[in-house]
Amino acid sequence: MTFHKPPLSVANQIMLLSRRGMAIPDQDLATHYLTHINYYRLRAYWLPFETTLPGGEHQFRTGTTFLDVIGIYQFDRALRLLLLDAIERIEISLRSRWANYLSLNYGAFAHHEGPVFQKQDTWQRCCDELDKEFQRSHETFAKHYQENYNHLKSPPIWVSCELMSIGHLSRWIHNLRKPHDRQAIADSYGLDEKVLVSFLHHLTIVRNHCAHHGRIWNRRLTVKMRLPSKKPAKLSSVFNRDEDAHGRLYNTLAMLAYLLRIISPESHWRNKLIELLDTCPQALDGVMGFPVGWRMSPLWEEAL
């Protein structure tokens, strides 16, 4: 297929949007935003407002305004920052629990004990990644071990865990040979180990979208989390188990809220999330998987 689309100036981008039915009362404001935010980036936010005419031409639904699109864009940015705040706390907590449990049960260098892990090729790749992170790290603690214990490939596990990304940590936990070991870590959060491992993998994808400034608002997440069924009993009813909602963001937010209540009980994260949602009601229009009456769930009601 031959590509024929020409580049458009900002002025022509605004003309195109207007011709397709988007109301742009403040041309200067639209010029400012389209100068600093790529047209194609914003397109993901106005796409749900589009319809396709019989001839293939795109048209906006009546009443669509440029400010509506910018409102959802700004909401999405704030949502990403809120997600990163929660993910940071959970990642640090999981690093701590993983390192503490393994060190007490398998020694200071448990991560170098091959039999502790299931797939040896995966374990070796994880070790190699960790060794590289250690050698190139400029953190003070890494420099200390590099200078004083230069015979070590990596420091003790309680130090090494601080060099791990959430994706790296996810692979280490998933690869533990004994389900009992994974469950011992999951018990800290009242979860089944299979649920925790699944959520950690899912959260790695969410974190990557957020960290790379990707749209998170109405994204359908391809790596889905396993929903708790029995453990804990009160949490099971919080999730939206509708098939269409399973890959949406609501279930992720619910699990984050549950975990933060354990990890950081003084946090006002749930309140901040609800306040953010209230600023942009159009963003909740079925695209994030929020179930009817979600605010009445004890998880959210106590925050309200």
Side-chain angles (χ1 to χ4, degrees):
M1 180 183 294
T2 305
F3 184 82
H4 295 293
K5 291 183 179 181
L8 296 177
S9 66
V10 169
N12 284 334
Q13 291 170 15
I14 293 172
M15 288 177 60
L16 177 61
L17 293 173
S18 297
R19 189 173 73 243
R20 290 177 174 174
M22 181 183 288
I24 309 178
D26 191 332
Q27 299 272 319
D28 290 340
L29 185 66
T31 299
H32 173 82
Y33 277 114
L34 286 167
T35 297
H36 297 285
I37 305 173
N38 185 18
Y39 176 99
Y40 202 76
R41 179 177 178 81
L42 279 178
R43 184 176 182 274
Y45 297 89
W46 66 58
L47 194 61
F49 296 96
E50 286 186 355
T51 58
T52 304
L53 301 178
E57 179 72 14
H58 296 295
Q59 191 74 18
F60 290 104
R61 296 199 305 265
T62 302
T64 302
T65 73
F66 187 79
L67 288 180
D68 287 336
V69 175
I70 293 300
I72 295 176
Y73 178 83
Q74 291 173 334
F75 165 83
D76 187 49
R77 179 180 179 276
L79 182 60
R80 287 197 305 271
L81 295 174
L82 203 56
L83 280 164
L84 286 172
D85 175 38
I87 293 169
E88 174 194 346
R89 298 174 194 234
I90 290 166
E91 178 182 346
I92 290 171
S93 173
L94 279 165
R95 282 184 196 168
S96 177
R97 295 303 309 127
W98 178 78
N100 184 257
Y101 174 80
L102 287 188
S103 65
L104 291 176
N105 286 272
Y106 297 105
F109 295 91
H111 53 309
H112 284 166
E113 297 293 334
V116 174
F117 301 94
Q118 185 175 8
K119 296 180 179 179
Q120 293 299 292
D121 55 341
T122 300
W123 167 70
Q124 189 59 60
R125 283 198 302 273
C126 286
C127 286
D128 292 343
E129 288 174 4
L130 185 58
D131 294 344
K132 289 178 183 176
E133 288 297 326
F134 173 56
Q135 294 301 328
R136 66 188 177 197
S137 176
H138 295 287
E139 292 285 353
T140 302
F141 65 83
K143 288 292 186 183
H144 170 75
Y145 276 89
Q146 291 164 4
E147 293 169 1
N148 294 281
Y149 303 96
N150 56 17
H151 62 287
L152 297 177
K153 283 189 174 182
S154 65
I157 191 169
W158 56 82
V159 178
S160 290
C161 71
E162 293 298 323
L163 297 167
M164 295 179 183
S165 67
I166 190 171
H168 200 180
L169 181 63
S170 175
R171 292 192 291 277
W172 278 103
I173 294 177
H174 182 263
N175 197 37
L176 286 169
R177 185 169 64 84
K178 296 179 181 178
H180 169 78
D181 290 338
R182 292 192 297 272
Q183 188 58 55
I185 297 168
D187 282 341
S188 301
Y189 311 101
L191 295 174
D192 180 270
E193 57 94 4
K194 292 180 180 177
V195 171
L196 179 64
V197 168
S198 167
F199 181 64
L200 189 51
H201 184 200
H202 168 82
L203 200 59
T204 300
I205 305 303
V206 175
R207 183 263 174 202
N208 287 343
H209 286 308
C210 292
H212 296 287
H213 323 303
R215 174 180 47 82
I216 199 73
W217 155 59
N218 68 341
R219 184 179 291 277
R220 187 180 293 276
L221 298 158
T222 54
V223 176
K224 300 176 182 179
M225 55 185 281
R226 180 192 286 251
L227 299 181
S229 55
K230 296 180 181 179
K231 182 180 182 180
K234 290 184 178 179
L235 181 61
S236 179
S237 62
V238 168
F239 296 99
N240 189 346
R241 297 180 183 273
D242 183 78
E243 182 61 30
D244 183 62
H246 190 27
R248 301 294 188 179
L249 193 61
Y250 169 77
N251 286 334
T252 310
L253 295 171
M255 182 64 91
L256 289 173
Y258 165 77
L259 289 172
L260 282 180
R261 191 169 60 174
I262 296 170
I263 295 167
S264 187
E266 79 287 352
S267 168
H268 296 288
W269 189 86
R270 283 176 294 168
N271 308 74
K272 292 177 182 177
L273 174 63
I274 293 169
E275 290 171 5
L276 176 61
L277 295 171
D278 287 342
T279 66
C280 194
Q282 66 267 36
L284 288 181
D285 188 20
V287 297
M288 292 178 68
F290 278 75
V292 176
W294 64 275
R295 292 172 183 260
M296 302 304 293
S297 163
L299 179 69
W300 304 110
E301 194 175 35
E302 66 182 25
L304 290 165

